Amino acid sequence: MGGAGEGSGAEREFLLDPSWVFLNHGSFGACPRVVLERSFAWQRELERQPVAFFQIYNSEADLEVWATGIADTLRRKGGSRG
């Protein structure tokens, strides 16, 4: 089994402690850095102007744009898994 710092490079995508070897961190909710950063950006936007946030980002059109963006990102990152 490889030690800390070895592997495919995917470990750099997470904030996991590099001194540990995680065999299955997905079961415990570890998020990739990019997901956390984006989540924090949305949270800051919400905290800046809570009422406006829900007025601006609360439409079917927004949900469609987001869903399409998420699907595109997953296709680019993971390829076909079906």
Side-chain angles (χ1 to χ4, degrees), residues 2-3 5-14 25:
E6 295 180 19
S8 67
E11 63 275 2
R12 290 186 302 269
E13 299 294 325
F14 296 88
H25 63 272

Side-chain angles (χ1 to χ4, degrees), residues 21-35:
V21 176
F22 290 90
L23 300 178
N24 184 6
H25 63 272
S27 296
F28 302 101
C31 289
R33 290 175 188 269
V34 67
V35 172

Side-chain angles (χ1 to χ4, degrees), residues 46-61:
L46 169 64
E47 295 297 333
R48 272 186 17 158
Q49 208 41 279
V51 174
F53 179 88
F54 286 106
Q55 289 173 339
I56 293 169
Y57 301 111
N58 193 23
S59 74
E60 288 293 321

